[in-house]
Amino acid sequence: MRRAVCPGSFDPVTNGHLDIIGRASRLFDEVIVGVLINQSKSGLFTVDERLAMLREVTASYDNVRVASFQGLLVDFCREQQASVLVKGLRAVSDFDYELQMAQMNIGLAGVETLFMPTNPLYSFLSSSLVKDVAKWGGDVSPHVPDLVREQLRTRLTAQRRS
């Protein structure tokens, strides 16, 4: 079985993430969306909230499942019996960092990295940018699924009130 991992923090998941996940799902028998638990960072959404959003917005893909992990990504890949990582690249600046990570991952555990260029519609898109725009009342509906837009609105409204 050809199995791949699409890792990230997904705080929140964007249409750019979903583009990469969907394209990977056509190339592999199974795609595991790996949500990093980074205890040194506090996200806007909890890991459980991100997992729930991802499960809902990827439900139409029969061969995609969502799981969380902490520690080394290559250890998660080993546990999932996945020998390939799929990473989206938005710009040349992403490549420098991702290449170093890919070389480390192949050296540590023989895990290959497939770089997939992002659809030009999403080349500027990041979770951080989406959060900033939403925080100031901007329309993020072209950039995230409706479920995520509503979750952002609810969370940011609650934060403004407190």
Side-chain angles (χ1 to χ4, degrees):
M1 175 180 274
R2 296 173 309 155
R3 185 176 289 140
V5 170
C6 286
S9 59
F10 304 101
D11 186 39
V13 61
T14 69
N15 290 340
H17 293 129
L18 292 175
D19 174 60
I20 297 296
I21 293 166
R23 289 164 55 202
S25 76
R26 293 191 299 270
L27 298 173
F28 294 93
D29 298 318
E30 183 177 29
V31 174
I32 301 120
V33 179
V35 180
L36 173 65
I37 300 170
N38 185 346
Q39 304 196 325
S40 64
K41 272 185 164 180
S42 65
L44 180 62
F45 295 102
T46 67
V47 171
D48 287 339
E49 289 169 329
R50 288 182 262 156
L51 290 168
M53 281 189 278
L54 275 160
R55 286 186 180 119
E56 187 162 334
V57 300
T58 61
S60 63
Y61 299 110
D62 293 336
N63 64 336
V64 172
R65 67 183 166 88
V66 179
S68 62
F69 73 96
Q70 57 187 357
L72 291 176
L73 177 55
V74 293
D75 290 340
F76 178 70
C77 289
R78 251 190 237 119
E79 290 166 14
Q80 302 299 317
Q81 297 178 345
S83 59
V84 177
L85 293 168
V86 176
K87 298 286 206 91
L89 294 179
R90 294 172 294 196
V92 173
S93 56
D94 288 346
F95 183 73
D96 289 336
Y97 173 75
E98 294 296 347
L99 179 61
Q100 291 175 30
M101 295 299 296
Q103 291 170 330
M104 180 63 77
N105 291 335
I106 193 81
L108 283 173
V111 174
E112 295 285 356
T113 301
L114 171 66
F115 293 124
M116 193 174 283
T118 303
N119 180 321
L121 293 171
Y122 310 119
S123 62
F124 65 93
L125 197 53
S126 70
S127 294
S128 298
L129 184 58
V130 165
K131 287 185 285 195
D132 285 344
V133 170
K135 175 182 172 183
W136 297 106
D139 180 16
V140 295
S141 58
H143 311 300
V144 296
D146 291 340
L147 166 78
V148 174
R149 180 181 44 82
E150 284 304 312
Q151 294 284 337
L152 278 165
R153 187 186 58 73
T154 301
R155 176 60 43 89
L156 293 170
T157 299
Q159 283 185 346
R160 277 186 231 122
R161 289 184 182 150
S162 48

